């Protein structure tokens, strides 16, 4: 059948067309639950200030301006370099997939927390956790601590590290008792 098309093309005086590569379908949408894809879509739409379906330097500049920040053009271009081409929603989702799935598995993160939970109660005291982050390993500064605390499931001076692990991995925290 393909040969017939080549023959017809040649009969019309045309040349044989080169074969086109089959487009690989992206499985990036299978990497996340539907509710999380919707959250990524909302974030993408907020960043895509001109609503053209792509995030570019101007979109990032406008978004940062709305947050009261003015990064340099070089900083904005550096952010976009992580994308292999134009940054549409699928590329945006792929970047997040690479970032979140490039981290340790949930069980590994949980085991790391358990090492510091001598009583195996599922939480760490806030001050103890803060001390660990600021003085052990890749030491956090106060700004990083403040940013982390915005997402931290903190209750009564205790950090629920099971919930925190799920937040880090983008899992559904509603399943946690």
């Amino acid at each position: 059948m393909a040969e017939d098309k080549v023959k017809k093309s040649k009969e019309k005086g045309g040349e044989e067309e080169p074969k086109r590569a089959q487009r690989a379908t992206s499985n990036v949408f299978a990497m996340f639950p539907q509710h999380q894809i919707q959250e990524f879509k909302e974030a993408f739409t907020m960043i895509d200030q001109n609503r053209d379906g792509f995030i570019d330097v101007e979109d990032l500049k406008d978004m940062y301006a709305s947050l009261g920040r003015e990064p340099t053009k070089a900083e904005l271009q550096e952010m976009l370099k992580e994308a292999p081409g134009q940054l549409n929603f699928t590329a945006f989702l792929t970047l997040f997939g690479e970032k979140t799935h490039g981290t340790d598995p949930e069980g590994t993160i949980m085991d790391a927390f358990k090492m510091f939970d001598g009583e195996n109660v599922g939480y760490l005291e806030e001050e103890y956790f803060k001390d660990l982050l600021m003085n052990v390993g890749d030491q956090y500064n106060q700004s990083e601590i403040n940013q982390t605390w915005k997402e931290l499931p903190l209750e009564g001076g205790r950090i629920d590290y099971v919930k925190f692990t799920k937040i880090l991995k983008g899992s559904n925290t509603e399943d946690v008792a």
Side-chain angles (χ1 to χ4, degrees):
M1 185 167 162
E3 291 176 34
D4 291 344
K5 287 183 181 178
V6 172
K7 280 183 188 176
K8 287 180 185 176
S9 177
K10 283 184 179 179
E11 287 170 6
K12 293 180 183 178
E15 293 184 19
E16 191 173 324
E17 290 184 30
K19 289 184 179 179
R20 291 184 183 170
Q22 290 292 320
R23 187 173 177 186
T25 57
S26 173
N27 199 22
V28 68
F29 290 92
M31 294 171 74
F32 300 102
Q34 189 60 41
H35 75 276
Q36 194 171 24
I37 292 172
Q38 185 58 39
E39 290 172 3
F40 284 133
K41 184 66 175 173
E42 290 170 16
F44 180 86
T45 302
M46 288 174 62
I47 298 168
D48 182 17
Q49 298 281 310
N50 62 8
R51 304 294 186 257
D52 65 353
F54 298 93
I55 295 174
D56 58 22
V57 170
E58 286 304 311
D59 290 324
L60 290 176
K61 180 180 172 187
D62 292 345
M63 188 217 35
Y64 274 104
S66 73
L67 299 172
R69 285 207 48 229
E70 292 183 35
T72 66
K73 188 170 185 174
E75 289 174 312
L76 299 173
Q77 289 171 333
E78 188 66 30
M79 290 177 204
L80 288 174
K81 278 185 185 175
E82 290 190 43
Q86 286 190 312
L87 189 55
N88 62 14
F89 179 64
T90 303
F92 182 79
L93 198 58
T94 301
L95 286 174
F96 274 93
E98 290 170 354
K99 296 288 185 191
T100 60
H101 290 84
T103 60
D104 290 325
E106 196 169 297
T108 303
I109 295 170
M110 197 80 68
D111 288 344
F113 279 116
K114 287 178 182 176
M115 287 178 50
F116 298 100
D117 178 11
E119 297 173 20
N120 199 26
V121 291
Y123 63 83
L124 298 175
E125 295 295 329
E126 178 182 12
E127 288 304 313
Y128 177 58
F129 185 56
K130 186 176 184 178
D131 182 62
L132 288 172
L133 290 176
M134 294 183 85
N135 297 306
V136 178
D138 294 332
Q139 298 172 359
Y140 279 44
N141 61 36
Q142 190 59 50
S143 173
E144 292 167 320
I145 292 289
N146 294 343
Q147 187 64 36
T148 303
W149 256 240
K150 289 179 183 178
E151 301 295 327
L152 208 57
L154 187 62
E155 196 171 309
R158 296 178 176 168
I159 297 158
D160 182 333
Y161 64 77
V162 175
K163 283 184 183 177
F164 188 51
T165 300
K166 293 198 175 291
I167 290 169
L168 291 172
K169 295 302 292 180
S171 302
N172 189 352
T173 57
E174 294 169 7
D175 295 339
V176 180

